[in-house]
Amino acid sequence: MASNTPAAAIEARLAANWTTTPVFLADEINDPPEPPSPFVVLEFPGGFSRQYTIGSPGSNVWLEEGAFMIHVMVPVGIDPGSGLPWRKVARNYAETIAQIFRGQTFATSVICYAPLPPQESERANGNYWGVSFGVPFHYQFLA
């Protein structure tokens, strides 16, 4: 789980730059949308924090490193708007979201690196099919 500051900054960046589908935090969604429609889930599975400098208490640099996950979920079948299979739409959505974070620094001290290659569901899970990828980040703060 990321600490509050980088998590809030990542959530805000995604909300400001991705309006194509609803975005849920992992603990906010119990049931997928009905009727089935695309959505994104943002998850913070973990990380670690360490002291980066030693010196004056309250002025030491600490470094938090972790990754967040993006899960793009789409209905099984064909997108009626584009005529493409939903899995191709999901791949496009995943790439667009990855570009929002790739190599970006924001909220003064959250740095995102290259997203990991997307992983796809081997088969549909009920009415949905998914593409997931992680984005490594680090966050520096004084304490």
Side-chain angles (χ1 to χ4, degrees):
M1 177 78 174
S3 63
N4 189 53
T5 300
I10 291 163
E11 291 170 28
R13 184 170 182 84
L14 183 58
N17 291 282
W18 179 257
T19 58
T20 305
T21 68
V23 175
F24 300 98
L25 296 178
D27 65 342
E28 291 177 337
I29 185 160
N30 294 320
D31 297 309
E34 277 298 329
S37 59
F39 64 96
V40 170
V41 178
L42 172 61
E43 181 179 21
F44 295 95
F48 68 93
S49 183
R50 63 185 165 95
Q51 191 169 356
Y52 197 67
T53 64
I54 298 173
S56 177
S59 296
N60 292 313
V61 176
W62 289 77
L63 177 64
E64 178 178 329
E65 294 183 291
F68 57 93
M69 296 292 301
I70 299 286
H71 307 285
V72 178
M73 305 302 295
V74 295
V76 174
I78 304 295
D79 172 21
S82 68
L84 293 172
W86 273 115
R87 69 179 183 283
K88 289 187 178 185
V89 174
R91 291 177 192 147
N92 291 338
Y93 286 177
E95 179 56 32
T96 301
I97 295 170
Q99 290 173 10
I100 294 169
F101 295 101
R102 182 180 289 121
Q104 298 297 310
T105 300
F106 51 95
T108 69
S109 57
V110 176
I111 301 170
C112 292
Y113 299 101
L116 302 170
Q119 303 297 308
E120 300 180 2
S121 303
E122 291 182 19
R123 60 188 170 285
N125 182 1
N127 292 327
Y128 284 90
W129 188 84
V131 174
S132 297
F133 64 94
V135 179
F137 74 90
H138 88 235
Y139 164 63
Q140 292 183 359
F141 59 98
L142 296 177

